[in-house]
Amino acid sequence: VAEHLEMIQSLDPHPGLRFGSGKSNYIAPDVFVVKEGDEYRVILNDDGLPKLRISPTYRKMLAADGNSPETRNYVKEKLRSALWLLKSVDQRQRTIFKVTESIVRKQRGFLDHGIAHLKPLVLRDVATDIGMHESTVSRVVANKYVHMPRGVFELRFFFHSGITSNMG
């Protein structure tokens, strides 16, 4: 028994750790593309975004007569900054939506038939399609993921100047 116990104690209880880091990296897609009939619909994933809102207390502070002009100016400035942040987050979401819609339109063959039908696409094509600058599209697709019927892909995956196939 001692001989078997010694052999069992020499074994690695986690033999798979030699082949990987042991940590799984989970990806939460920023956008979902779902097929409804013959069409594809783009849905933003708002789960990762906090629900941002401005407290009504600050609006009451502006309306109150007892506050000094310095206090009113301070609150006005902070409200302006908060509104700017809310608009920026909304604009970011709309831009991600537009970029994904453009990719879906241009990569319909890939969505319907698979990787063999993936078309070469450059940032300029999508930027022209949605009326934005190429650098804006580049920032939008960086580290963003889309869940499609064919799997989860990084948005940058769709931007290749060429794709090798068995025909060249």
Side-chain angles (χ1 to χ4, degrees):
V1 171
E3 181 182 325
H4 291 290
L5 179 62
E6 186 179 316
M7 193 268 304
I8 291 171
Q9 288 176 333
S10 72
L11 297 175
D12 184 359
H14 304 286
L17 287 180
R18 286 182 272 164
F19 303 105
S21 66
K23 291 189 175 188
S24 298
N25 293 328
Y26 296 102
I27 296 172
D30 301 278
V31 187
F32 293 97
V33 175
V34 294
K35 188 170 186 175
E36 293 179 348
D38 289 337
E39 295 300 315
Y40 290 95
R41 193 165 69 114
V42 176
I43 303 168
L44 289 172
N45 183 6
D46 293 333
D47 290 345
L49 289 177
K51 302 295 181 216
L52 300 176
R53 61 182 180 80
I54 297 174
S55 173
T57 305
Y58 297 110
R59 293 189 197 276
K60 289 176 187 171
M61 287 176 74
L62 281 178
D65 291 332
N67 291 329
S68 68
E70 295 85 27
T71 303
R72 292 174 66 82
N73 287 337
Y74 178 80
V75 172
K76 273 185 186 177
E77 180 61 34
K78 295 306 172 186
L79 271 174
R80 230 179 278 128
S81 294
L83 287 172
W84 179 83
L85 177 66
L86 290 173
K87 287 178 184 175
S88 297
V89 170
D90 183 57
Q91 178 65 35
R92 174 186 175 270
Q93 290 297 90
R94 281 188 279 142
T95 305
I96 291 170
F97 184 84
K98 287 179 186 178
V99 167
T100 306
E101 272 190 327
S102 180
I103 291 171
V104 167
R105 278 193 302 272
K106 294 179 181 302
Q107 298 292 359
R108 180 70 190 241
F110 164 75
L111 290 167
D112 289 338
H113 306 292
I115 194 81
H117 296 273
L118 188 64
K119 294 179 184 172
L121 187 63
V122 290
L123 294 169
R124 189 178 329 107
D125 296 337
V126 171
T128 303
D129 185 38
I130 64 172
M132 292 189 172
H133 195 271
E134 204 173 321
S135 64
T136 303
V137 175
S138 178
R139 282 192 308 273
V140 165
V141 300
N143 301 314
K144 303 289 185 303
Y145 292 88
V146 58
H147 182 274
M148 297 181 156
R150 298 221 171 253
V152 176
F153 300 93
E154 189 171 10
L155 280 176
R156 194 163 291 284
F157 167 81
F158 296 100
F159 296 98
H160 297 284
S161 56
I163 299 167
T164 305
S165 72
N166 59 359
M167 300 192 315

